[in-house]
């Protein structure tokens, strides 16, 4: 048996950078104390989710990878606790701005940066104003004796992203996220659909999926309220929820995954054996 | 509002060709009487699911499209009832054998044939012995004022198949299927995982998914028993189950889909807007 212990987390992030990074750090420490080896904080955790309004002043939140306070704090913690921390942050790279993730390994080193490929845009989630669509391509990383793929929030709706990471050898798929209410439609709660699509990735690729979301109400400078619905979870390799929160809880979710059992199950199902890549060309056409 | 009424069906198919085709025909008639315009029988309904044993004698069940009794019976019914019937059958084409589907429109004409692309193989489901992997590519058809895509059973596990059909303009995804117990592992029930992956396709493509499965126990010539778990369903464009059966029921499932509402929802979610086909090349590589 080759097991790995992973942790998701769910927490309110309405505060400022110092407060939020401290809150995430506390959860990282708590997860590590419970044996977690890979610990996933939510998307853009260093502040409130700022994409509710299109305001150029908010670009001041971006920083180069090595300088971003979230990255620096998680590097220090990762090294100290010997854990891997996929760290979501707002990246500035020259005149470009990305919704990025620094993969920090258990030495506190940055293995690389993934830049969110799929950028949403709509009321409450005006990300196309802030983020250039990522130019890194999908990424996987070897950490803690396994290989993981990380997508960022809106990426989680895309089977292509999950499959690409799986084909690159990922054994676990992780998604930091910031999703909640839809200001234009109070009746629309996407939580079920959001979980469903990722549980679908787990089933289709026969591998565990981990998602960390923020929770609770935030108010932006324009006085808009937006609530984040939590529902963070960990699935097994069949897409069953093995750890989960609702929309009114915060804390850490921990699960131990038997990677060898997952590998055998995946091989036995034969999904990868029976793929027909020569038939999938339509997916790569720009039309 | 542009609505369409669709029907799935679930029934035992342990009998012979005449009996099974009569049972399916009765359900097609019943569905049409309830207003269904597109009616989906299960996979390979003209007999018991025969791929439990690798026996060359079973190739005698195959026939050219125009001669197959399932196709002929459904053509007659489709014309008479003015309904479209995606009809699964065992196709012989020269020395080739395919797990195929004839798309029969409401004039009783065959619009084309789709040949199952993904062929499973394992205890109880020895399809690689019988079926050449399909060479038709994925297909969509215009019927009853909408465009539908149909995958066949194992295809349903593949996000690539669902996405390709969606990109080809499908507004509804249909899957005839024959799936049930796993003879090598009595504890393994894939019903939840099977539904999950298709509900994932519905969510990821923001369109309804319809699946028809056989139900009940069948015994093959070698005395092997295999039970099919039903769980046929229809989802809406968010992947919510709006009509469903368990593993101990048979009959027809009917749902009316507001195609215009689904189209607006799909556009509003923006999943197709935000795709990055230039990043999906890994999916088409044969490695």
């Amino acid at each position: 048996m080759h097991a790995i212990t992973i942790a998701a987390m769910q927490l309110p992030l309405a505060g400022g950078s110092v407060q939020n990074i401290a809150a995430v750090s506390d959860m990282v420490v708590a997860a590590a104390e419970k044996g977690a080896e890979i610990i996933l904080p939510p998307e853009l955790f260093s502040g409130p989710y700022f994409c509710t309004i299109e305001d150029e002043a908010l670009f001041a939140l971006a920083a180069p990878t090595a300088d971003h306070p979230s990255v620096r704090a998680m590097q220090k913690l990762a090294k100290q606790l010997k854990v891997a921390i996929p760290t979501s942050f707002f990246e500035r790279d020259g005149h470009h701005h990305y919704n990025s993730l620094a993969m920090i390994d258990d030495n506190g080193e940055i293995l690389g940066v993934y830049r969110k490929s799929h950028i949403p845009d709509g009321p409450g989630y005006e990300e196309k104003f802030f983020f250039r669509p990522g130019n890194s391509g999908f990424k996987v990383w070897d950490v803690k004796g396994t290989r993981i793929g990380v997508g960022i929030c809106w990426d989680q709706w895309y089977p292509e992203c999950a499959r690409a990471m799986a084909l690159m050898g990922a054994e676990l798929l992780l998604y930091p996220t910031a999703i909640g209410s839809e200001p234009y439609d109070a009746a629309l709660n996407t939580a079920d659909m959001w979980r469903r699509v990722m549980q679908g990735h787990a089933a289709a690729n026969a591998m565990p999926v981990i998602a960390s979301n923020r929770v609770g109400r935030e108010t932006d400078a324009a006085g808009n309220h937006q609530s984040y619905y939590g529902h963070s979870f960990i699935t097994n390799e069949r897409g069953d929820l093995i750890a989960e929160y609702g929309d009114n809880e915060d804390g850490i979710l921990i699960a131990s995954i038997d990677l060898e059992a997952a590998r055998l199950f995946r091989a036995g199902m034969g999904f990868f054996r029976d793929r027909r890549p020569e038939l999938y060309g339509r997916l790569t056409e720009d039309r």
Side-chain angles (χ1 to χ4, degrees), chain A residues 90-102:
Chain A
F90 186 12
E91 180 190 1
R92 188 177 79 234
D93 178 37
H95 299 303
H96 292 154
H97 298 80
Y98 298 100
N99 187 330
S100 295
L101 182 125

Side-chain angles (χ1 to χ4, degrees), chain A residues 25 28-29 32 37 39 70-87 103-110 144:
Chain A
S25 297
V28 169
V29 170
E37 297 161 276
I39 302 171
S70 292
V71 174
R72 292 169 67 104
M74 294 304 120
Q75 281 190 279
K76 193 173 159 189
L77 265 185
K79 185 175 182 179
Q80 173 191 326
L81 301 168
K82 292 282 167 205
V83 298
I85 310 175
T87 301
M103 186 61 226
I104 300 172
D105 75 4
D106 60 1
N107 292 317
E109 300 296 324
I110 297 171
K144 291 288 185 181

Side-chain angles (χ1 to χ4, degrees), chain A residues 29-134:
Chain A
V29 170
E33 283 173 353
K34 292 192 176 181
E37 297 161 276
I38 302 171
I39 302 171
L40 181 68
E43 187 187 21
L44 298 171
F45 60 83
S46 68
Y49 177 73
F50 58 86
C51 309
T52 53
I53 42 176
E54 298 180 343
D55 179 353
E56 69 180 30
L58 294 166
F59 283 97
L61 297 169
T65 304
D67 300 335
H68 195 283
S70 292
V71 174
R72 292 169 67 104
M74 294 304 120
Q75 281 190 279
K76 193 173 159 189
L77 265 185
K79 185 175 182 179
Q80 173 191 326
L81 301 168
K82 292 282 167 205
V83 298
I85 310 175
T87 301
S88 165
F89 70 104
F90 186 12
E91 180 190 1
R92 188 177 79 234
D93 178 37
H95 299 303
H96 292 154
H97 298 80
Y98 298 100
N99 187 330
S100 295
L101 182 125
M103 186 61 226
I104 300 172
D105 75 4
D106 60 1
N107 292 317
E109 300 296 324
I110 297 171
L111 296 183
V113 172
Y114 167 66
R115 292 167 169 167
K116 184 172 180 172
S117 302
H118 302 98
I119 309 296
D121 204 72
Y125 302 87
E126 302 288 359
E127 296 200 15
K128 289 195 196 296
F129 177 75
F130 293 101
F131 308 124
R132 185 169 188 247

Side-chain angles (χ1 to χ4, degrees), chain A residues 42-242:
Chain A
E43 187 187 21
L44 298 171
F45 60 83
S46 68
Y49 177 73
F50 58 86
C51 309
T52 53
I53 42 176
E54 298 180 343
D55 179 353
E56 69 180 30
L58 294 166
F59 283 97
L61 297 169
T65 304
D67 300 335
H68 195 283
S70 292
V71 174
R72 292 169 67 104
M74 294 304 120
Q75 281 190 279
K76 193 173 159 189
L77 265 185
K79 185 175 182 179
Q80 173 191 326
L81 301 168
K82 292 282 167 205
V83 298
I85 310 175
T87 301
S88 165
F89 70 104
F90 186 12
E91 180 190 1
R92 188 177 79 234
D93 178 37
H95 299 303
H96 292 154
H97 298 80
Y98 298 100
N99 187 330
S100 295
L101 182 125
M103 186 61 226
I104 300 172
D105 75 4
D106 60 1
N107 292 317
E109 300 296 324
I110 297 171
L111 296 183
V113 172
Y114 167 66
R115 292 167 169 167
K116 184 172 180 172
S117 302
H118 302 98
I119 309 296
D121 204 72
Y125 302 87
E126 302 288 359
E127 296 200 15
K128 289 195 196 296
F129 177 75
F130 293 101
F131 308 124
R132 185 169 188 247
N135 61 352
S136 65
F138 307 119
K139 296 240 184 189
V140 295
W141 289 283
D142 293 327
V143 291
K144 291 288 185 181
T146 184
R147 183 172 288 184
I148 67 172
V150 188
I152 304 173
C153 199
W154 201 239
D155 288 330
Q156 63 210 169
W157 296 95
Y158 289 82
E160 295 92 339
C161 173
R163 184 69 108 195
M165 295 190 293
L167 288 168
M168 293 162 80
E171 297 187 297
L172 304 170
L173 303 178
L174 292 83
Y175 297 97
T177 188
I179 190 167
S181 56
E182 302 289 344
Y184 69 97
D185 183 356
L188 178 58
N189 183 332
T190 60
D192 287 348
M193 189 178 173
W194 174 81
R195 273 196 173 172
R196 182 173 294 148
V197 78
M198 283 183 279
Q199 290 182 268
H201 302 333
N205 295 289
M207 63 184 58
V209 169
I210 301 95
S212 293
N213 192 17
R214 61 179 65 208
V215 70
R217 192 162 108 141
E218 300 179 8
T219 305
D220 66 22
N224 304 308
H225 303 298
Q226 196 151 300
S227 291
Y228 300 88
Y229 56 54
H231 278 79
S232 305
F233 64 85
I234 301 175
T235 79
N236 63 15
E237 60 272 19
R238 296 164 62 166
D240 299 308
L241 296 169
I242 55 173

